[in-house]
Amino acid sequence: MPDPDPATTPGLEPGGGVAPGDTPPSEAGTSGLSAPEPRLPSRRTNLVVPIVIAVLVAAAALAFFAARL
C-alpha cells in the first residue's frame, strides 16, 4: 500500500509521531523513468553552433561598416 492511513499504521503514536526505535512506514516510490530522457546535442554540435553565431555576428558587423563607407 503506497500511502498507509496513519490512524491504522502500527507503531505510530497519537498525532502521527513514531515511537523511539520504530521505523516509519515506507513511502510510495517508483523505479525507473516515466519517460525517456531527451537526447543531448553531440559534441560536434556544441562546437559548431557558437562558431556559426560568431561568423554571423562578424558578417553583420562587416556589412554594417561596409554600408557606412
Side-chain angles (χ1 to χ4, degrees):
M1 181 163 36
D3 294 321
D5 181 16
T8 60
T9 302
L12 290 180
E13 296 179 337
V18 179
D22 276 352
T23 304
S26 62
E27 294 182 11
T30 57
S31 62
L33 300 172
S34 60
E37 291 188 17
R39 294 187 61 187
L40 297 176
S42 68
R43 183 174 172 86
R44 186 175 129 217
T45 302
N46 287 337
L47 291 174
V48 169
V49 169
I51 292 172
V52 168
I53 291 172
V55 167
L56 290 174
V57 168
L62 213 92
F64 175 76
F65 288 118
R68 292 192 63 168
L69 290 178

